[in-house]
């Protein structure tokens, strides 16, 4: 994007005047943020129009990424970086006496996702635009994002995240592109000239209004679209006819019910609850998204059979799986195609990514609920299931158990993962080990039935946000060493390894880490009052709270370290600061107790003079993309300690390594591939393997009481949870104690404790060798290129979607 410095300054002053009637001196920070953003909006719009024009004229194949979550993060800085305007803008504003960094803080950070899955979708959007691929997002414009977390009396309290309260400058409301989505009602069948027609009657109509957010590619003129749908009432919702008949409450009721649909993001962990509103949200954005895709398609094409050649629809987990029957409905009921044609088109258009193997996270809906809310979609799903079961019967005659285990509808439930597999042409896992587990365990029967359909696409992160934007000093160091080609070709980061033993580079890297740590020290002081030693090891554990992610294992290690330090305050360890951040689902008791335990421990440890400041524990509230952007660059150690087999991939692990932190982790998810990439010497691996975990689950043989009785460290720690050692009510942490002992420690915290503690000892030893450590750090950065989402997206584009980059010409 092009704008000269003087022009920018002039525009800025004019915008402040026209938008707020103010000069620079009177304008608030927010006024200035808005003025700058509007200038950028104007610049982006031009490229956006050109991109769309070119896509349409050339009839390029488009991919649409359907996701219930997009955890976007702030955009101003990202747009400036990708648009090549950052330096011009920084200088122009400085000349007007304005600090760009401060303006960036004005932007709200849209938390439209729970965690990794939503953030992955956002990284994918960035990479698609950067690679010049015609790829767009489709999701929900939640009025409230993931709750804001406050810690009150050590405990997590949830507050609404009203991210739209000051408006959102990056969205474009497109009222003229609104579509109608129908819920409930009845289906009447009618036969006309031998063809059965299905007429939907007495339904509730909801207006889906799109808000488009531009996705700006890096240095390439491409601007793709993230379309977020908002639910509104038809006719402005106020039905005066009803009002006149005295049905005021009914009219208002409709308005309220519609408003609910896009009101709030469900805060969930990997546990799934079949709530009707969630199903409504799913169908709402899927139906709206597909309608708008078909409408656009018909502007340039007349043959529906050509749809898969021109459009790919990707579903991010099973949340948008109703896309399968909905596309069938559109093709048959609206477009008049036969079942067989519609089915062939649907199954060549839709592809699906699985993100979890946790059985409790796999979505199922009761037939009753599904049928009542989506009567026609139910009929179609029923027929898909009938036909699928028939084909199973042909292959496995009489094997009822197998058929029941694969049927889309069984035990009065609809199994969405099965629907997604049957209705798509590609199913992928998100790391090699995860894909293998899908093929060999969780979806074994499907893999055998559909050979070739399952494939792996290891996750990635956009290195432009997670390094270029968030760690500019490190980005500059890399560029000084190897040139700037890594920004477009992250594989080139490998060349940075040549500098692993270069003293000057080592020194610069050390200083950069130090300065990033200082930023965090100040933040911690300001937000928690805790004074942290910048020379301590920053050991960081940031992610959603879940038992399988084992924040508890980290806590146990901290408690053990604390016990040892109290026994021997002269213990020879490098001082450590353990930093946690993350949210627990509001209804997830153990997760919230774990957060509380960390805070209680922090209050005990941080003020204990005896341990000579060798240990600090910090919990930072309200984890978000922005907080992550500050923490990843400051970390020395990355905690990736899930029970092997449970973490499908993890992507925080990649953000840490890219910023030079060293991983301590299990052989789980993408850790396995990180281990392959950096080699055994540059990572600390410990714990059970996924095979050992499966063996325990299948054959038993694990008794957590044995470990309690045989390892005195564990006995002490477990008792400390319930014997009044912690400065809180004595029984407060009984549930944790019980989950580990009475419930036999489902996630093998006690089993992995010893090898985890040993890995930490090895890590501490290595850290003492400053040269060795910085070399490890450089090796991690240099081998992070394959974990760029550019690599992931290229694989999706070539191997699943069959789309190619488009060179956008724009002035
Ligand atoms: C995550 N899933 C996986 N789910 O846990 C993680 O290993 C993986 O790296 C990531 O997906 C991307 O593939 C995840 O974040 C959710 O947030 C769900 C949202 C919907 C409700 C249940 C949790």
């Amino acid at each position: 994007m092009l704008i000269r410095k003087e022009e920018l300054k002039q525009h800025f002053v004019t915008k402040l005047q026209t938008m707020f009637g103010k000069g620079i001196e009177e304008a608030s920070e927010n006024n200035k943020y808005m003025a700058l953003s509007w200038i950028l909006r104007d610049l982006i719009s031009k490229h956006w129009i050109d991109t769309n024009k070119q896509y349409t004229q050339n009839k390029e194949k488009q991919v649409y990424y359907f996701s219930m979550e997009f955890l976007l993060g702030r955009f101003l800085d990202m747009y400036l970086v990708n648009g090549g305007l950052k330096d011009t803008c920084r200088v122009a504003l400085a000349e007007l006496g304005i600090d760009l960094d401060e303006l960036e803080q004005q932007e709200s950070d849209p938390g439209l996702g729970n965690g990794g899955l939503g953030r992955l979708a956002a990284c994918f959007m960035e990479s698609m635009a950067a690679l010049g691929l015609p790829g767009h997002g489709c999701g929900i414009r939640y009025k409230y994002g993931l709750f804001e977390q406050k810690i009150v009396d050590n405990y997590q309290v949830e507050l609404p995240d009203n991210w739209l309260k000051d408006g959102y400058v990056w969205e474009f409301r497109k009222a003229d592109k609104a579509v109608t989505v129908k819920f409930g009602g009845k289906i009447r069948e009618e036969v006309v000239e031998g063809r059965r027609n299905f007429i939907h009657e007495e339904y509730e109509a909801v207006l889906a209004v799109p808000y488009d957010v531009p996705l700006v590619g890096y240095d390439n003129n491409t601007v793709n679209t993230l379309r977020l749908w908002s639910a509104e009432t038809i006719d402005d919702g106020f039905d005066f006819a009803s009002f006149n008949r005295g049905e005021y409450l009914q009219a208002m009721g409709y308005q309220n019910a519609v408003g609910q649909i896009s009101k709030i993001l469900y805060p969930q962990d990997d546990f799934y609850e079949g709530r009707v509103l969630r199903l409504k949200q799913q169908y709402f954005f899927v139906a709206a998204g597909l309608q708008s895709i078909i409408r656009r398609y018909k502007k340039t094409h007349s043959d529906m059979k050509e749809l898969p050649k021109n459009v790919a629809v990707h579903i991010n987990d099973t949340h948008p799986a109703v896309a399968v029957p909905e596309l069938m409905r559109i093709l048959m009921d609206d477009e008049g195609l036969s079942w067989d044609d519609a089915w062939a088109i649907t199954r060549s258009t839709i592809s699906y990514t699985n993100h979890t193997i946790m059985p409790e996270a796999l979505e199922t809906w009761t037939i009753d609920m599904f049928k009542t809310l989506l009567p026609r979609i139910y009929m179609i799903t029923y027929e898909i299931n009938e036909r699928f079961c028939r084909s199973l019967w042909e292959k496995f005659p009489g094997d009822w158990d197998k058929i029941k285990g694969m049927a889309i509808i069984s035990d009065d439930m609809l199994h969405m993962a099965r629907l997604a597999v049957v209705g798509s042409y590609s199913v992928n896992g998100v790391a090699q080990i995860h894909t293998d587990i899908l093929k060999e365990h969780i979806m074994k029967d499907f893999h055998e039935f559909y050979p070739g359909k399952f494939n792996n696409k290891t996750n990635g992160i956009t290195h432009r946000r997670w390094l270029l934007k968030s760690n500019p000093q490190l980005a500059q160091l890399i560029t000084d060493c190897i040139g700037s080609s890594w920004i477009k070709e992250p594989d080139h980061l490998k060349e940075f390894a040549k500098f692993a033993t270069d003293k000057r580079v080592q020194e610069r890297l050390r200083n950069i880490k130090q300065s990033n740590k200082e930023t965090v020290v100040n933040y911690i002081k300001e937000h928690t009052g805790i004074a942290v030693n910048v020379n301590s090891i920053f050991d960081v554990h940031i992610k959603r709270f879940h038992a399988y992610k084992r924040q508890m294992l980290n806590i146990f290690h901290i408690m053990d370290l604390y016990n040892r330090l109290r026994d021997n305050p002269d213990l020879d360890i490098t001082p450590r600061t353990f930093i946690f951040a993350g949210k627990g689902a509001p209804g997830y008791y153990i997760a919230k107790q774990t957060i509380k335990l960390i805070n209680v421990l922090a209050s005990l440890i941080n003020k204990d003079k005896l341990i000579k400041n060798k240990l600090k524990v910090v919990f930072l509230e309200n984890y978000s993309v922005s907080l992550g952007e500050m923490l990843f660059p400051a970390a020395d150690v990355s905690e990736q300690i899930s029970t092997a087999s449970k973490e499908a991939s993890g992507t925080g692990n990649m953000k840490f390594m890219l910023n030079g932190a060293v991983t301590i982790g299990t052989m789980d998810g993408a850790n396995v591939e990180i281990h392959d990439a950096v080699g055994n010497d540059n990572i600390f691996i410990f714990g059970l393997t996924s095979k050992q975990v499966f063996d325990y689950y299948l054959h038993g043989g694990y008794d957590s009481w044995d470990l309690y009785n045989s390892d005195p460290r564990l006995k002490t720690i477990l008792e400390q949870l319930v014997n009044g050692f912690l400065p809180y009510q004595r029984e407060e942490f009984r549930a944790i104690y019980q989950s580990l002992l009475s419930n036999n420690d489902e996630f093998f915290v006690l089993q992995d404790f010893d090898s985890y503690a040993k890995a930490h000892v090895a890590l501490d030893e290595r850290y003492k060798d400053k040269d060795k450590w910085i070399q490890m750090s450089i090796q991690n950065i240099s081998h992070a290129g394959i974990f760029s989402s550019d690599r992931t997206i290229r694989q999706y584009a070539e191997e699943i979607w069959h789309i190619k980059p488009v060179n956008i010409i724009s002035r």
Side-chain angles (χ1 to χ4, degrees):
M1 273 169 233
L2 216 60
I3 187 162
R4 279 175 296 108
K5 188 184 73 184
E6 289 309 317
E7 208 182 335
L8 183 60
K9 280 162 76 177
Q10 220 170 43
H11 276 10
F12 186 79
V13 174
T14 315
K15 272 275 187 255
L16 274 182
Q17 281 166 6
T18 52
M19 287 177 73
F20 306 104
K22 290 184 186 168
I24 290 185
E25 297 73 28
E26 302 157 83
S28 68
E29 290 293 289
N30 194 263
N31 294 157
K32 293 177 207 164
Y33 160 73
M34 290 300 282
L36 177 63
S37 301
W38 272 89
I39 296 173
L40 203 53
R41 229 180 103 110
D42 295 345
L43 288 168
I44 292 170
S45 308
K46 190 188 166 311
H47 293 280
W48 204 1
I49 293 166
D50 290 342
T51 305
N52 279 327
K53 209 186 271 170
Q54 219 166 306
Y55 286 165
T56 309
Q57 273 167 4
N58 302 353
K59 299 192 178 177
E60 303 288 352
K61 179 168 183 180
Q62 308 285 308
V63 58
Y64 297 93
Y65 195 83
F66 277 52
S67 177
M68 266 195 115
E69 305 190 2
F70 287 92
L71 196 42
L72 298 171
R74 291 182 175 137
F75 269 129
L76 173 63
D77 195 27
M78 207 58 234
Y79 286 151
L80 290 174
V81 168
N82 282 1
L85 295 173
K86 179 108 190 224
D87 292 338
T88 315
C89 190
R90 184 181 288 291
V91 178
L93 290 179
E95 287 178 13
L96 296 172
I98 298 165
D99 181 357
L100 175 60
D101 294 337
E102 266 164 38
L103 292 200
E104 281 159 5
Q105 302 302 318
Q106 291 295 316
E107 181 168 343
S108 60
D109 183 345
L112 309 186
N114 276 281
L117 173 146
R119 184 54 231 173
L120 184 78
C123 282
F124 280 7
M125 292 297 112
E126 201 279 338
S127 279
M128 283 198 253
L131 295 173
L133 290 164
H136 314 281
C138 176
I140 299 175
R141 179 183 182 267
Y142 300 102
K143 185 157 186 257
Y144 295 94
L146 189 63
F147 63 87
E148 186 188 329
Q149 178 194 52
K150 284 247 175 276
I151 301 298
V152 179
D153 192 17
N154 298 314
Y155 197 61
Q156 167 179 297
V157 173
E158 299 95 23
L159 302 173
D161 167 43
N162 192 3
W163 69 288
L164 286 168
K165 68 175 182 308
D166 298 325
Y168 186 57
V169 58
W170 306 120
E171 66 184 9
F172 291 63
R173 180 185 156 94
K174 302 268 173 74
D176 57 320
K177 300 244 162 78
V179 297
T180 304
V181 178
K182 300 173 184 173
F183 292 101
K186 297 195 181 105
I187 305 300
R188 185 166 54 82
E189 217 180 306
E190 166 188 277
V191 179
V192 180
E193 292 168 10
R195 191 190 152 88
R196 284 161 76 199
N197 292 335
F198 298 88
I199 296 131
H200 200 170
E201 295 174 333
E202 295 172 43
Y203 52 80
E204 180 189 60
V206 172
L207 195 67
V209 182
Y211 286 72
D212 289 354
V213 178
L215 303 160
V216 177
Y218 179 79
D219 184 29
N220 67 356
N221 296 326
T222 299
V223 181
N224 289 335
T225 303
L226 169 61
R227 178 158 280 186
L228 299 177
W229 296 94
S230 178
E232 294 183 11
T233 46
I234 290 184
D235 277 334
D236 231 359
F238 208 80
D239 180 349
F240 279 100
S242 309
F243 184 61
N244 291 338
R245 287 199 307 273
E247 290 164 358
Y248 175 77
L249 286 177
Q250 199 178 319
M252 292 308 282
Y254 163 67
Q255 205 165 28
N256 281 337
V258 169
Q260 293 301 322
I261 297 176
S262 55
K263 192 152 190 177
I264 183 152
L265 165 77
Y266 272 100
Q268 290 190 345
D269 45 71
D270 282 293
F271 182 82
Y272 160 76
E273 261 183 311
R275 300 261 195 133
V276 70
L277 183 57
R278 184 157 166 99
L279 179 58
K280 221 168 176 179
Q281 290 184 330
Q282 297 185 345
Y283 183 68
F284 167 73
F285 91 97
V286 164
L290 286 175
Q291 275 187 63
S292 84
I293 290 169
I294 299 294
R295 183 176 56 195
R296 182 175 192 278
Y297 175 78
K298 284 164 78 174
K299 281 190 187 154
T300 44
H301 298 82
S302 49
D303 187 357
M304 276 296 153
K305 290 187 186 143
E306 299 274 287
L307 188 74
K309 270 198 210 147
N310 295 285
V311 169
V313 170
H314 197 89
I315 59 176
N316 195 24
D317 216 295
T318 57
H319 320 145
V322 282
V324 173
E326 173 63 8
L327 185 54
M328 289 293 288
R329 185 198 67 73
I330 294 174
L331 294 170
M332 295 187 303
D333 297 0
D334 297 352
E335 303 299 328
L337 268 66
S338 68
W339 179 280
D340 289 342
D341 285 342
W343 186 235
I345 295 168
T346 300
R347 289 196 53 202
S348 327
T349 304
I350 296 178
S351 48
Y352 152 58
T353 299
N354 171 288
H355 294 266
T356 186
I357 62 151
M358 312 267 287
E360 65 270 33
L362 296 179
E363 290 189 306
T364 51
W365 300 105
T366 63
I367 292 181
D368 246 15
M369 182 197 291
F370 199 92
K371 199 176 180 174
T372 311
L373 190 69
L374 309 169
R376 178 67 182 135
I377 295 304
Y378 178 73
M379 288 170 80
I380 294 169
T381 309
Y382 184 90
E383 184 64 24
I384 294 173
N385 182 53
E386 284 288 303
R387 290 173 185 236
F388 174 59
C389 287
R390 240 175 275 147
S391 66
L392 288 175
W393 178 261
E394 276 164 28
K395 186 140 184 213
F396 313 109
D399 193 345
W400 284 113
D401 281 348
K402 192 181 226 47
I403 295 172
K404 188 164 171 257
M406 294 176 78
I408 296 165
I409 303 176
S410 74
D411 292 328
D412 284 335
M413 303 296 268
L414 282 95
H415 297 260
M416 301 311 268
R418 300 178 192 172
L419 175 63
V421 175
V422 174
S424 63
Y425 64 91
S426 163
V427 180
N428 74 281
V430 290
Q432 192 58 55
I433 185 179
H434 169 233
T435 303
D436 291 345
I437 292 171
L438 286 179
K439 288 198 214 172
E440 286 156 25
H441 297 272
I442 315 297
M443 295 190 173
K444 185 167 187 282
D445 288 343
F446 284 97
H447 171 50
E448 283 165 7
F449 190 70
Y450 295 120
K453 193 185 270 204
F454 285 72
N455 62 90
N456 179 57
K457 297 287 169 281
T458 299
N459 281 165
I461 54 163
T462 162
H463 60 289
R464 282 169 294 273
R465 180 179 285 271
W466 295 108
L467 174 56
L468 184 62
K469 168 191 182 307
S470 62
N471 198 348
Q473 295 186 75
L474 177 56
Q476 190 58 52
L477 170 62
I478 296 169
T479 298
D480 290 347
C481 292
I482 66 169
S484 61
S485 63
W486 63 274
I487 301 170
K488 286 192 178 179
E489 296 293 341
D491 227 25
H492 294 183
L493 282 172
K494 277 211 179 82
E495 291 164 31
F496 189 51
K498 289 187 200 132
F499 296 84
T501 52
D502 182 318
K503 293 287 168 226
R504 287 213 314 270
V505 173
Q506 290 183 346
E507 194 49 30
R508 268 183 77 185
L509 181 57
R510 248 185 238 115
N511 290 338
I512 290 166
K513 188 60 91 183
Q514 191 82 357
S515 122
N516 292 335
K517 285 168 82 171
E518 267 155 19
T519 307
V520 170
V521 168
N522 295 334
Y523 184 92
I524 292 174
K525 182 81 200 158
E526 191 183 326
H527 288 81
T528 68
I530 303 168
V532 158
N533 173 5
V534 72
N535 295 315
S536 61
I537 301 178
F538 276 25
D539 186 318
V540 187
H541 202 166
I542 47 179
K543 49 183 85 243
R544 282 180 298 141
F545 272 75
H546 198 291
Y548 85 78
K549 295 180 188 277
R550 296 201 297 192
Q551 282 90 356
M552 196 54 70
L553 182 56
N554 191 342
I555 294 172
F556 270 39
H557 173 244
I558 295 171
M559 288 177 78
D560 181 47
L561 214 50
Y562 180 55
N563 290 335
R564 279 159 53 206
L565 276 168
R566 282 193 56 93
D567 285 348
N568 172 18
D570 293 321
L571 193 72
D572 178 27
I573 59 159
T574 313
R576 285 253 197 154
T577 301
F578 290 94
I579 300 174
F580 292 87
K583 297 177 182 178
Y588 189 1
Y589 183 70
I590 288 285
K592 290 172 76 174
Q593 284 302 95
T594 308
I595 292 172
K596 188 168 194 172
L597 178 55
I598 293 170
N599 284 301
V600 169
L601 262 181
S603 66
L604 173 69
I605 293 175
N606 295 342
K607 60 171 186 276
D608 188 338
K609 295 271 184 296
L610 197 74
I611 60 169
K612 302 181 173 170
N613 279 326
K614 287 187 182 172
L615 201 55
K616 290 274 160 152
V617 180
V618 176
F619 186 95
L620 291 175
E621 62 187 12
N622 207 30
Y623 185 43
S624 62
V625 173
S626 300
L627 189 58
E629 286 177 24
M630 180 181 72
L631 292 174
F632 290 113
D636 296 307
V637 176
S638 156
E639 296 277 350
Q640 306 301 332
I641 60 177
S642 51
T643 311
S645 80
K646 299 290 177 187
E647 189 69 273
S649 159
T651 45
N653 45 7
M654 303 168 183
K655 293 163 200 164
F656 278 111
M657 83 179 286
L658 181 64
N659 283 281
V662 176
T663 305
I664 181 164
T666 46
M667 281 300 230
D668 198 18
N671 296 353
V672 177
E673 287 154 76
I674 292 177
H675 173 259
D676 289 346
V678 299
N680 215 22
D681 290 344
N682 296 304
I683 188 166
F684 296 90
I685 295 290
F686 71 94
L688 293 174
T689 62
S690 86
K691 184 176 174 321
Q692 289 170 317
V693 169
F694 271 101
D695 281 349
Y696 272 136
Y697 285 143
L698 287 172
H699 310 299
Y702 180 64
D703 186 348
S704 57
W705 280 108
D706 290 346
L707 288 156
Y708 170 91
N709 288 318
S710 62
D711 189 332
R713 297 168 300 177
L714 287 175
K715 188 172 190 168
T716 306
I717 296 164
L718 281 156
E719 290 310 318
Q720 283 173 336
L721 293 180
V722 289
N723 68 6
F725 169 80
L726 296 167
Y728 214 80
Q729 284 102 324
R730 201 184 172 87
E731 289 300 304
E732 183 66 36
F733 301 110
R734 176 71 63 182
I736 293 178
Y737 178 90
Q738 271 170 344
S739 76
L740 295 172
L741 291 171
S742 323
N743 294 342
N744 204 26
D745 182 18
E746 187 184 350
F747 298 106
F748 304 103
V749 173
L750 305 193
Q751 170 68 40
D752 275 351
F753 173 77
D754 183 55
S755 62
Y756 180 56
K758 286 188 174 125
H760 267 297
V761 171
L763 186 154
D764 191 68
E765 272 308 304
R766 192 76 64 83
Y767 192 82
K768 287 182 181 140
D769 183 342
K770 291 275 167 263
D771 264 13
K772 250 282 152 50
W773 187 268
I774 206 78
Q775 285 179 35
M776 287 175 82
S777 181
I778 294 178
Q779 290 299 341
N780 271 274
I781 298 165
S782 312
H783 291 95
I786 47 165
F787 300 108
S788 164
S789 43
D790 286 8
R791 187 267 310 146
T792 316
I793 282 298
R794 278 195 178 110
Q795 291 177 331
Y796 275 90
E798 281 162 24
E799 296 162 23
I800 300 181
W801 302 328
H802 309 294
I803 55 165
K804 51 181 198 336
V806 180
N807 184 20
I808 301 296
I809 318 275
S810 184
R811 270 185 308 110

